[in-house]
Amino acid sequence: MNLGLVGKSVFVAAGSKGLGKASALEFAREGARVTIASRNLEQLQQTREDIQSITGNKVSIIQMDVRNNEDICNAIRKTAAENGGLDVVVTNAGGPESGYFSDLKDEDWTRGFELTLLSTIRLIREALPFLQSAGGGRIVNVASSSVKQPIDGLLLSNVFRAGVQALTKSLALEFAKDEILINTIAPGRIATDRIIELDRRRAIDRDRSFEDIQAEAVGQIPLGRMGIPEEFARVVVFYGSYANTYMTGQTLLVDGGMVKAL
Ligand SMILES: NC(=O)c1ccc[n+]([C@@H]2O[C@H](COP(=O)([O-])OP(=O)(O)OC[C@H]3O[C@@H](n4cnc5c(N)ncnc54)[C@H](OP(=O)(O)O)[C@@H]3O)[C@@H](O)[C@H]2O)c1
């Protein structure tokens, strides 16, 4: 299948590690001109080296905190200026803090909103004019299985990811006329630093071993294992590709069957 990504300008937010890095790598393998952005410059440089040495394709890096609108505007404009426009945007960020309702104060809710929902709104708002002037494009939002089934102790994710899902559907309808296809991909448990960090915290909170917490979680997955970032990235790349011509406004789980809802 031809994904139609050769030479396309692809921007991956939070692309230095985990799911963002894996997605950037797969886009680069397909011959896209990839830009990754996140806060930590050293990590970005390392990831650029990794992707370039595997694919032989040039990768650009930009320092950006998705909670800062100026950073977002700068990153999107710079990407478009350097790569002759913008075709595909992956919105992504670090995960919000864990916590139950009684743990969370106004500042926590505000930070969660900025990191998870407002960053997606801002990235899309800044990117849209460039996608429109390219005659169309693809937007892929990285969310969580919490959009379909709340996750215990992850209230900020449960609430604000639902907003990302609603945004995806609304904007997909509004910008279909411009040939901009917008979808959300929702990971279940894909083995990255984020999952390890959450499981460590759960182990401490529940006074159980890390191994025990992980084994219990994997026991909920019909495929019997956590996913690997590449398995997630392949789905992101298809929805962010020009082989996808007729799917928009969707939220898709990549979860090994973990969520049981219809
Ligand atoms: N892995 C899973 O199974 C899973 C499941 C459900 C949801 N998710 C969600 O998917 C997203 C990616 O998760 P992951 O597993 O890839 O996490 P990860 O391995 O911890 O990577 C997080 C990435 O986000 C970047 N980042 C964090 N805060 C940022 C900020 N304020 N501005 C810009 N970049 C930022 C980090 O780079 P810097 O530190 O350089 O900024 C890093 O590149 C998260 O929102 C996570 O909650 C993941």
Side-chain angles (χ1 to χ4, degrees), residues 211-234:
E211 292 72 22
D212 199 18
I213 292 287
Q214 285 230 312
E216 184 180 77
V218 168
Q220 303 294 314
I221 303 172
L223 284 180
R225 61 177 176 85
M226 283 202 270
I228 57 170
E230 189 187 331
E231 292 177 298
F232 180 82
R234 288 198 296 256

Side-chain angles (χ1 to χ4, degrees), residues 13-21 37-41 43-44 64-67 92-96 115-116 142-146 151 157 161 186-195 197-198 232:
S16 68
K17 276 172 51 181
L19 305 180
K21 175 180 177 179
S38 76
R39 296 164 305 173
N40 183 323
L41 191 57
Q43 184 63 52
L44 281 169
M64 173 192 78
D65 185 335
V66 293
R67 291 168 303 185
N92 184 29
L115 183 65
T116 303
V142 175
S144 164
S145 61
S146 65
I151 299 173
S157 173
R161 307 277 194 204
R189 284 180 65 87
I190 313 291
T192 66
D193 289 354
R194 163 79 174 167
I195 290 293
E197 186 194 311
L198 286 175
F232 180 82

